């Protein structure tokens, strides 16, 4: 294992400096933004932010760029932006830690995802060339794909973790230049329905993975997650489950991040930015959206990560959203005496840089964060003091309550079906006994039909009982979440009188 | 809802003082310990501890004892010990918070547990009379039982939470005199086998519940849990699952308790004190065993909580342990600048005080803890520096590894069975098609046998596929835990060289 910060062959650029750390001036850097050679990139600049971003002399120019020929003849905007620069002493105040994060839903389902192996190789090559500090991947369903990535990235990212859960797996993994000190996996209590085989989310063991890292004395809690997909926005049967997941995610982050200095969350949240689940998550944890906060953005318009330009996306699903939708996020917050600023956010734009195919059906999200120590603690955790939070929790609770009603109805229906199947079986048993006892023997006994009916009833009984048990569990979890939200609401309502 | 610290009818003794808090002298109190009227109680005194325990004047005598007649004519040892006393200023140094905790596996399974309703009423009556500060219950499987307890205890314990999970529920609940600020449930990833219907653990959604409380400015993280039962000690098929649970419990506590001042864990851990799971849990979290640390103990010998004297225990199971076994625990530790001492630990002794039947098939565990602020932080979290910890993790990892091998074998067997069933079905389909095509029509086609065989094959296919999926998930979780333990071992081994 090669310690971070040490030059190593096969890895295009290494960050020099003892703990593999970048110290920059307090003012964030930028370079001249050119259009990517892959084309199709929409670029825009956040109003009011640009004038402050003056490139300090010597910034943004990589010392050595190996592997560039694979991308094209000259360093593109991509390269300027993604290339780490030399550590420098702070120009004012405390030194700044610059962290480059890559997040991607890889869509690597064995036998199902198109050109999976080629894409995974491409992802590996890019990650090795770009040498991010932290890579958060979702939908790496095959452990073999992870192992191959691990071998390929061992030089640049000596530390990694694959989160195992569920039948298929969580699909979540993390690659890091910095040591992973600890980890924990939390599997969401609800994740769709086992009988929705065509969607398959239930089998995936959707979870949130946490890895703890200490970079230059700063404790990072890094979360990676993937929530239940949305298959029909107009009539989203999975909304209550996704809201339970968003709630559990928020609660898990709140409870596990109390000793962290900085919290990072990357993942495919399967929610649009204005959806109640995102507002709940952000409101209840105080996490900030890197896209909304970025001083400079480059990529798909509105930060979309599921776009019609991507050849793997289902165009019919995106018909109501001609620009695409934004469902992949990098969120962050500083908890103790630190501030985090998003210097830059980028997305891929329908294809991987320099090649003809995309990494995945999702676009990659890349953030450059600046983390700086403050003179005094930043104060209480954000989010919980937001006066609008009570409204968001109320809204989410109403959706969970609607899901609870539906789950109760389904529990009742499946229970009734099981009872009917049992009654049919008992009736058949009585008829069979009567025949054996010689009653009604004047007519021939229809053995075949009888057997078929009995097996049918037995099958229905088993299935309906299984469903009943499943919906019983669903009711419990929805009810539990509704209860927790109610307690939070009560606390939020009591707070003003206390203060 | 009645705020704590306020006198309320129906509750035998209330702690006066604003936050419902007991401030005692630094030296812990004690009273004269008499034999309980219910008889059969074994009492012993920890060597060396007794001389220090001098009862300060006026201590240990309750101001008003309602409900006593139900127990007997005069205050017994039980009453003296369990009765809260008046808050007092510290005699030396910082004031001490005295906290009385009740833990019990209630064995309240609807339709199955003997005299359940009577026992739940008895538990409720006792809790109301005794007015503990904190009550941690397990195996309250029926939500109706919880609701009845909640109504009955609303005066003494205005704050409570029932943790819902799994098909049947987690069975966990908490009653508290102090506000519950927040909560989180973590469901263990492995919990036995769905086809072991006679054991039924799988359906219970075994979990660890966390409630956060702030008592007089001290943040308490209180955990309540119930691990998988041990049905056969000599050949314990569930040991790997219980070890995964113990590991997840330890990890969950470590990650969620970093901002807490004091950690408390109560529950039925289904492990003997010397078992590898307990050593792993204690070593990796730094939790201390209230029984081992108690300055004064009274109850079943060796602190046993499953004893032959209890009329509900299975005597044949306890044959190798004539004194009984200790599987219910109260564990604690101080994380920040606090110290926790166990002044006293008690267990019931085969029956509830003053009546003829026990609370449950388990004995209740009652601890009186003294929590005191220290001048300086207590330093790093205990446990992780223990040189023996690596051995414990190695031992646990070997057991998990053995479980992983077994799970892989079962996954293979069930997969093979599914393939065979599928082949049989295909063969039958070929035969049916051949018959329909007129081949071999000279012999009559055995329709009934054919149908029965097809249904049998289908049933086996469905079951074997389900089993294969389950064991695939089991393999993933065992493998994940083995991996995590390996990372911890590596960190433990690297630490000495760092230091």
């Amino acid at each position: 294992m090669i310690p971070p910060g040490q030059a190593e062959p096969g890895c295009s650029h290494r960050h020099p400096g003892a703990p593999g750390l970048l110290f920059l001036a307090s003012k964030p850097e930028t370079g001249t933004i050119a259009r990517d050679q892959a084309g199709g990139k929409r670029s825009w600049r956040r109003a009011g932010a640009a004038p402050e971003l003056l490139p300090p002399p010597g910034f943004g120019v990589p010392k050595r760029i190996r592997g560039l020929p694979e991308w094209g003849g000259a360093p593109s905007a991509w390269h300027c932006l993604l290339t780490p620069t030399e550590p420098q002493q702070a120009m004012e105040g405390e030194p700044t830690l610059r962290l480059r994060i890559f997040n991607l839903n890889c869509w690597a389902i064995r036998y199902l995802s198109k050109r999976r192996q080629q894409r995974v190789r491409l992802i590996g090559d890019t990650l090795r060339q770009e040498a991010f500090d932290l890579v958060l991947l979702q939908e790496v369903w095959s452990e073999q794909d992870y192992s191959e990535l691990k071998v390929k990235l061992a030089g640049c990212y000596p530390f990694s973790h694959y989160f195992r859960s569920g039948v298929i797996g969580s699909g979540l993994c993390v690659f890091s230049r910095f040591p992973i000190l600890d980890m924990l996996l939390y599997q969401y209590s609800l994740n769709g329905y086992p009988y929705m085989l065509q969607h398959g989310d239930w089998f995936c063991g959707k979870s949130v993975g946490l890895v703890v890292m200490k970079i230059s004395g700063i404790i990072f809690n890094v979360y990676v997650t993937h929530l239940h997909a949305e298959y029909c926005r107009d009539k989203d049967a999975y909304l209550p489950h996704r809201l339970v997941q968003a709630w559990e995610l928020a609660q898990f982050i709140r409870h596990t991040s109390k000793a962290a200095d900085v919290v990072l969350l990357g993942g495919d949240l399967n929610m649009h930015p204005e959806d109640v689940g995102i507002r709940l998550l952000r409101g209840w944890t105080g996490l900030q959206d890197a896209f909304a906060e970025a001083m400079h953005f480059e990529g798909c318009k509105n930060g979309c990560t599921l776009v019609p330009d991507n050849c793997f996306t289902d165009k019919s699903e995106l018909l109501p959203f001609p620009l695409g939708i934004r469902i992949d996020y990098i969120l962050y917050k500083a908890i103790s005496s630190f501030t985090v600023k998003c210097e830059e956010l980028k997305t891929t734009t329908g294809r991987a840089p320099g090649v003809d195919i995309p990494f995945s059906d999702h676009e990659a999200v890349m953030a450059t964060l600046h983390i700086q120590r403050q003179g005094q603690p930043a104060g209480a955790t954000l989010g919980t003091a937001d006066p609008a939070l009570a409204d968001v929790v109320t809204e989410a609770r109403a959706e969970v309550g609607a899901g609870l009603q539906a789950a109760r109805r389904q529990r009742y229906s499946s229970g009734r079906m099981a009872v009917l199947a049992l009654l049919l079986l008992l009736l058949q048993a009585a008829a069979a006994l009567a025949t054996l006892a010689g009653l009604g023997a004047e007519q021939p006994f229809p053995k075949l039909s009888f057997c078929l009916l009995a097996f049918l009833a037995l099958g229905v009984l088993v299935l309906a009982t299984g469903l009943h048990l499943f919906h019983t569990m669903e009711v419990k979890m929805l009810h539990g979440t509704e209860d927790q939200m109610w307690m939070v609401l009560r606390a939020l309502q009591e707070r003003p009188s206390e203060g």
Side-chain angles (χ1 to χ4, degrees), chain A residues 44-265:
Chain A
W44 58 279
R45 202 173 274 270
R46 195 161 295 278
E52 292 175 81
L53 301 177
L54 298 171
F59 259 56
V61 184
K63 280 216 104 174
R64 58 191 178 97
I65 304 179
R66 265 192 235 164
L68 255 188
E70 288 180 35
W71 287 51
S76 68
W78 252 81
H79 293 109
C80 291
L81 216 71
L82 297 179
T83 305
T85 50
E86 294 237 320
Q88 300 204 5
Q89 277 310 307
M91 277 155 64
E92 56 182 59
E94 292 279 333
T96 298
L97 170 67
R98 185 170 176 259
L99 211 65
R100 293 167 61 251
I101 303 162
F102 179 93
N103 179 76
L104 175 66
N105 176 326
C106 296
W107 188 48
I109 314 168
R110 255 178 149 173
Y111 316 118
L112 286 178
S113 300
K114 288 174 195 160
R115 300 169 77 179
R116 177 180 61 86
Q117 287 173 308
Q118 184 189 357
R119 291 187 294 103
V120 170
R121 269 199 305 275
L122 179 64
I123 292 169
D125 291 341
T126 306
L127 292 178
R128 194 164 59 176
Q129 282 162 21
E130 291 300 329
F132 291 92
D133 295 302
L134 188 60
V135 175
L136 308 174
L137 302 181
Q138 302 96 51
E139 289 211 9
V140 183
W141 299 119
S142 149
E143 205 164 331
Q144 202 184 323
D145 284 341
Y146 165 74
S147 300
E148 284 173 21
L149 279 174
K150 190 178 172 177
V151 168
K152 181 179 264 181
L153 301 176
C156 279
Y157 308 88
F159 308 98
S160 66
H161 188 71
Y162 184 71
F163 291 99
R164 291 181 184 84
S165 95
V167 176
I168 300 173
S170 73
L172 308 171
C173 60
V174 175
F175 291 92
S176 165
R177 287 186 51 228
F178 305 100
I180 293 170
L181 302 180
D182 211 342
M183 73 281 288
L184 184 64
L185 185 75
Y186 182 97
Q187 197 169 338
Y188 298 122
S189 60
L190 287 180
N191 187 33
Y193 304 96
Y195 50 84
M196 298 300 270
L197 292 174
Q198 76 276 29
H199 293 160
D201 291 64
W202 188 82
F203 295 93
C204 298
K206 293 269 174 77
S207 313
V208 46
L210 156 66
V211 293
V212 181
M213 299 192 298
K214 197 171 184 176
I215 309 175
S216 188
I218 305 172
I219 294 172
F220 284 81
N221 269 29
V222 180
Y223 301 85
V224 56
T225 194
H226 184 191
L227 304 194
H228 197 292
E230 183 186 74
Y231 295 97
C232 172
R233 191 160 177 81
D234 292 332
K235 205 178 170 182
D236 182 12
Y238 299 111
L239 178 59
H241 284 211
R242 203 179 308 104
L243 276 175
V244 168
Q245 294 183 345
W247 177 256
E248 289 179 348
L249 172 60
Q251 284 286 79
F252 182 70
I253 291 173
R254 287 178 70 247
H255 280 281
T256 53
S257 66
K258 286 176 177 164
D261 297 315
V262 176
V263 171
L264 301 176
L265 166 63

